[in-house]
Amino acid sequence: MANHDVEPTTTDAGIPVASDEHSLTVGPDGPILLQDHYLIEQMANFNRERIPERQPHAKGGGAFGHFEVTADVSQFTKAAVFQPGTKTDTLIRFSTVAGERGSPDTWRDPRGFALKFYTSDGNYDMVGNNTPVFFLRDPLKFQHFIRSQKRRADSDLRDHDMQWDFWSLSPESAHQVTVLMGDRGIPKSWRHMNGYSSHTYMWVNANGERFWVKYHFKTDQGIAFLTQADADRIAGEDGDYHRRDLFDAITRGDHPTWTLRVQIMPFEEARAYRFNPFDLTKVWPHGDYPLHEVGRLTLDRNPTDFHAEIEQAAFEPNNLVPGIGVSPDKMLLARVFSYADAHRARMGVNYKQIPVNAPQAAVHSYSKDGAMRMEKVADPVYAPNSKGGPAADPERYPYVERWDADGEFVHAAYTLRRDDDDWGQAGTLVREVMDDAQRDRLVSNVVGHLGQGVTPPVLERALEYWRNIDKGIGDRIADGVGASSS
């Protein structure tokens, strides 16, 4: 019996269909007819449901919410999104880095913290992690790093030996590896971890004054973590543990929040700061640059179509709004190109017309055509023109989010500052930030990780790596894996 209280099933063209259950056949026992276009549409769409997964950050989840400014930082930036009292719609996606779409949420791995602000000046994206640093400072090594964390060519298995082979030959990874092997390597939930821009960005105020900033989204739920044993157990019980936790929390009205605070460095101070302030493997000590409150992020709405709203969500650090710019951070500069290019490869050139990626601000661009074009264009389709098309306004929107540079074209590392080295901040983290219990868990985590297929030559380098971070911790790890501590 028909139920007239529900909407009728239709084809994707909006045409009502006759049956949800039965194909069109020649009699009840006869062959299916080719003219059953609804059956063909269903089968053809199913065969094409999966778009390529992200290269890193394939497994994740997310939610919608808003960001509300609670303090006045207008002396540092003219960005509309950060002006006093402003409330902006947001989308966030959390993720693991190395795992595939079906991988467990509780692997030891950094967590992505990608945020989209639908501002009045267009979309502003911040692509961050739950750690304030990263493994690398030069993007030429990024592809190789990701491959070392994913799967071997021969067995298609993840392999700790190639991970430690890469890490032990890349001393700049020491700070992030120390964080990864500590408690923050497996957060209890996405709600119980911080988010960081990691990169340094530029802020510019209404007077044209420039500042360098780092973003810190501090969880208001408190930091909590899983032990390795708990994470391994949960991975076998519920591979979607973190995704489920966020969705269920929002469903029951337990809306998670984060307080955004920023570190602010005057523009000229970067020239002589004791650490390279644009090195992604380094933090700015809070004693040098304390945190300033900006506002609060609240997540209060789950997606209704995970594929359309989360899997197709595209975050890219080139989405910058007036008052916010990039810095000389080499990793950030490469990501300004690579993220947008990854989305074009994965979803097509018109991915920004997918509703979840579309800005709330008006679009007046000269992009046209391409696969899956949805927004119609109108003449003129070129610039400059005398036909009334949009025109850039350098007086209203001058390019002030910039810096100066000169020198020969070279392939070289950053110039070392007074306190720059690869081991120092990792050692400080172990000795001065971690307590005894955290150090014990760090040693246990590293010993367990090194005990899974790491070959003797790589193991020796890994032990030397940890002794460079801290001699005592390195010796304890060596004892734990049964190696000589001499």
Side-chain angles (χ1 to χ4, degrees), residues 260-333:
L260 171 59
R261 297 182 173 92
V262 294
Q263 290 179 285
I264 301 172
M265 178 186 292
F267 183 82
E268 292 298 329
E269 289 187 18
R271 299 185 188 277
Y273 185 52
R274 59 197 180 99
F275 298 110
N276 184 338
F278 311 115
D279 182 345
L280 189 55
T281 70
K282 299 289 196 303
V283 297
W284 302 352
H286 291 189
D288 294 345
Y289 297 100
L291 295 173
H292 300 263
E293 182 174 325
V294 180
R296 175 167 292 180
L297 170 69
T298 301
L299 302 183
D300 57 12
R301 180 169 71 85
N302 281 317
T304 57
D305 185 327
F306 188 91
H307 178 83
E309 296 179 294
I310 303 299
E311 191 60 26
Q312 292 190 137
F315 302 87
E316 48 195 282
N318 50 289
N319 278 351
L320 299 163
V321 293
I324 304 174
V326 296
S327 77
D329 178 343
K330 295 179 183 180
M331 288 290 291
L332 175 58
L333 294 175

Side-chain angles (χ1 to χ4, degrees), residues 134-151:
F134 194 63
F135 299 90
L136 306 171
R137 63 172 67 98
D138 194 301
L140 194 59
K141 296 179 72 171
F142 179 79
Q143 294 70 222
H144 301 285
F145 161 67
I146 293 298
R147 292 178 188 130
S148 78
Q149 307 303 297
K150 282 189 167 283
R151 296 184 179 273

Side-chain angles (χ1 to χ4, degrees), residues 218-290:
K218 298 290 191 176
T219 174
D220 296 322
Q221 289 69 237
I223 293 288
F225 66 95
L226 297 173
T227 65
Q228 187 66 61
D230 285 340
D232 291 342
R233 173 182 55 80
I234 292 170
E237 295 175 352
D238 184 359
D240 300 319
Y241 180 76
H242 286 160
R243 182 185 289 177
R244 192 182 315 281
D245 172 88
L246 178 68
F247 193 93
D248 289 350
I250 294 174
T251 297
R252 65 175 178 264
D254 183 7
H255 300 154
T257 63
W258 287 258
T259 298
L260 171 59
R261 297 182 173 92
V262 294
Q263 290 179 285
I264 301 172
M265 178 186 292
F267 183 82
E268 292 298 329
E269 289 187 18
R271 299 185 188 277
Y273 185 52
R274 59 197 180 99
F275 298 110
N276 184 338
F278 311 115
D279 182 345
L280 189 55
T281 70
K282 299 289 196 303
V283 297
W284 302 352
H286 291 189
D288 294 345
Y289 297 100

Side-chain angles (χ1 to χ4, degrees), residues 466-480:
W466 282 103
R467 288 182 174 120
N468 285 334
I469 293 171
D470 182 87
K471 177 71 162 56
I473 289 292
D475 288 345
R476 289 177 61 186
I477 292 171
D479 290 341

Side-chain angles (χ1 to χ4, degrees), residues 54 59-67 88-95 111-118 124-130 190-197 216-219 221 242-243 246-247 250 255-259 296-303 306 309-315 356-357:
R54 291 166 171 87
K59 175 66 184 295
F64 296 88
H66 60 270
F67 179 81
T88 303
D89 290 340
T90 60
L91 165 67
I92 196 167
R93 184 176 184 270
F94 306 101
S95 57
R111 264 66 184 178
F113 192 98
L115 189 59
K116 186 182 295 290
F117 299 85
Y118 297 96
Y124 171 47
D125 291 355
M126 191 208 82
V127 293
N129 285 322
N130 69 323
W190 295 330
R191 298 180 295 124
H192 292 90
M193 68 182 194
N194 293 339
Y196 301 88
S197 67
H216 301 245
F217 285 86
K218 298 290 191 176
T219 174
Q221 289 69 237
H242 286 160
R243 182 185 289 177
L246 178 68
F247 193 93
I250 294 174
H255 300 154
T257 63
W258 287 258
T259 298
R296 175 167 292 180
L297 170 69
T298 301
L299 302 183
D300 57 12
R301 180 169 71 85
N302 281 317
F306 188 91
E309 296 179 294
I310 303 299
E311 191 60 26
Q312 292 190 137
F315 302 87
V356 73
N357 299 321

Side-chain angles (χ1 to χ4, degrees), residues 378-392:
D379 290 316
V381 293
Y382 57 90
N385 65 76
S386 61
K387 309 296 183 180

